[in-house]
Amino acid sequence: MDKRGDLQPGDQIDTLLDHQTQRLEDIANNAVDIIKINLLILGAFAPFLGTVFRNEISTEVIFESQFLRYATLSWVISSIFSTIVYRIARGKSTSQFDLLEQAIVNDWRDPDLRDEMLDNSETYEKNVNRYTVLMAMSVGLSLATVLFFALTIADTIFDLSSTSKRNAVLVVLGFGLITGFGIEIIRLLGRGRFWLSSKVDWLSSKIDFNVKIIGLNTLEIKVGKTEITEVVEFFVEKENLSPIRARLIKSIHDLFEYEPWTFDDLSSKLQDEYPDIGLTKEMIDRLVDEGYLQKIESRGPRTYLVHERREKIVNDEDIDKVVGEELGRVIGHMKQDNEVKELISQYLGTNPSNAKEVLVSGTTPERIDKLNTIIDLIRREYPHKEPPGKEYGKIQFRKSMERYQLTPKASRAFALVLVQQAKDALAEKAHIQATVLGYNGLEEFIRALVRHETPSKELDIRSLGHLLQTKEIQEKISDDDLGLIGRFREIRNKAVHEDARQIDSNEVQELLSIIENIIWKYSN
């Protein structure tokens, strides 16, 4: 802990993991309790009948009662629901630690693991809600089982009429629903969040997060000291995006705008400029699925060979010749240095006199594998021993890196925030500022739209006027909307280059609203 008593990143992760795991353990334990109650109900019913009503009730009459059939059905369904919840919740509570294993394997930083856990909390909360609903149904059915058993006894003794039986069934079902789902209904009405609120209050006291409930079991978590900008607030409030994903989109925009990038590019820049922001491929995949990022298919082969020494892709060259040249350099070193020769012989499992023949034998993939392994051995055992001017390098297979970029849907928040600022400026009679802000918001969106249609296009022309003339925009945006955009550009130019006092505030307000609608229209 630091001087303020706040938990450090590793402790934050432990606290989050403990919190989520404990909730699942509690649900699993509650399911076991219901299973025990159901067994107790079944185990108590028969002895109770045999002891209290053995002279008054016939066994044949009991088994003919429709209430006994209802009781059996509700008991079976309740037990099945409880068993399902127990098995899933118990399994999920242990699989929570799979994320830690994944973090170790992929060498995640603490912020990566923390943000992945928080970003995935929506799925976690949905699962918890499903388990809670099943538990409520199980409780209601257990209560209905008890009442149906009671009605079985009453029907056997008093021979209830058809109307009484029908009304009794309705009463039991209503009682079971109200009792079983009462807490859920109250929570849906906004009055029953005491359990979740207490958990959230406890969690926020342990972690340096500001946490508040903004909906049914939905947590808005503002992480660390990162400033929550208007854009992030727009994503969270207007588009119902988690704060983790919102601030990741904001950081991507700050670093690349709408230029394509690779996962490694983003990871490296985040570590340098936004070290508190976590990043995992799962987080990127979610943003792709939600339409805020697009994956750009790579041109050319998906797998290629890289010649380490020349730092060059050699797919189009004679690979066997390239490998032979590197093996020749290794053999030259082997002839000059007996220690290296002995090391290579041991690896190849042969004596030094046969090392050369064994080294160059085999298929091209086998020779590549031997070359790479021997180079690693030499560099590990005898670093700095490669002969000057005759260095050698590995031949490695690499996959082409997937590239991503922000979509027009992601640009919508950045553009509309500027449009809203323009409206605010207009309300203050700042006509020039209002038109410039609105113009900038429109330009932001149009640039994203062009880039989305042709990711490889060179956007060396930056003005909105030139962007509007591109083929992508002419084909994408209708003539009527282009006309409205042109009218707004005229007003902006008049405000900036002529006399702002000639500007009609009402017309600017109307055009800003139109621009806002255009952005929404073409960003989906």
Side-chain angles (χ1 to χ4, degrees), residues 252-311:
I252 293 172
H253 182 270
D254 291 345
L255 294 170
F256 301 101
E257 291 192 350
Y258 302 104
E259 297 297 319
W261 44 268
T262 67
F263 181 87
D264 289 345
D265 293 336
L266 178 58
S267 179
S268 176
K269 285 185 176 291
L270 285 178
Q271 289 185 42
D272 292 338
E273 301 188 36
Y274 301 98
D276 189 52
I277 294 181
L279 177 69
T280 66
K281 288 191 176 181
E282 288 76 11
M283 295 164 67
I284 295 297
D285 290 341
R286 292 183 201 112
L287 289 176
V288 171
D289 293 340
E290 292 176 347
Y292 292 100
L293 291 177
Q294 73 166 340
K295 185 185 297 185
I296 304 171
E297 294 298 330
S298 301
R299 301 178 187 178
R302 288 189 169 273
T303 304
Y304 52 92
L305 278 172
V306 176
H307 191 178
E308 180 187 48
R309 178 171 57 82
R310 294 157 56 195
E311 297 182 348

Side-chain angles (χ1 to χ4, degrees), residues 73-96:
L73 180 63
S74 60
W75 183 90
V76 169
I77 296 175
S78 174
S79 300
I80 290 174
F81 283 170
S82 299
T83 303
I84 290 173
V85 170
Y86 169 75
R87 295 203 54 180
I88 295 177
R90 186 71 76 189
K92 290 287 185 181
S93 68
T94 56
S95 65
Q96 289 287 100

Side-chain angles (χ1 to χ4, degrees), residues 182-195 197 216:
I183 296 176
E184 288 296 303
I185 293 172
I186 293 174
R187 186 167 62 83
L188 287 172
L189 295 175
R191 304 181 209 143
R193 301 178 184 174
F194 56 92
W195 182 85
S197 297
L216 180 61

Side-chain angles (χ1 to χ4, degrees), residues 318-328 330-331 347-348 356-375 393-395 397:
D318 185 340
I319 304 301
D320 195 61
K321 181 179 178 181
V322 174
V323 175
E325 181 182 350
E326 295 309 299
L327 286 174
V330 172
I331 291 169
Y347 165 71
L348 295 175
K356 176 182 174 180
E357 288 73 16
V358 176
L359 181 59
V360 298
S361 64
T363 63
T364 299
E366 290 172 344
R367 297 168 75 205
I368 291 175
D369 184 60
K370 285 188 284 189
L371 170 69
N372 293 340
T373 304
I374 286 172
I375 290 175
K394 295 188 287 186
I395 310 295
F397 287 96

Side-chain angles (χ1 to χ4, degrees), residues 37-84:
I37 290 172
N38 284 345
L39 293 175
L40 181 63
I41 291 172
L42 189 63
F45 178 68
F48 175 77
L49 286 179
T51 303
V52 179
F53 298 103
R54 61 171 177 249
N55 297 323
E56 293 86 349
I57 299 178
S58 165
T59 304
E60 293 78 7
V61 176
I62 291 177
F63 281 105
E64 290 175 359
S65 173
Q66 66 178 25
F67 292 119
L68 183 61
R69 292 193 291 272
Y70 295 153
T72 303
L73 180 63
S74 60
W75 183 90
V76 169
I77 296 175
S78 174
S79 300
I80 290 174
F81 283 170
S82 299
T83 303
I84 290 173

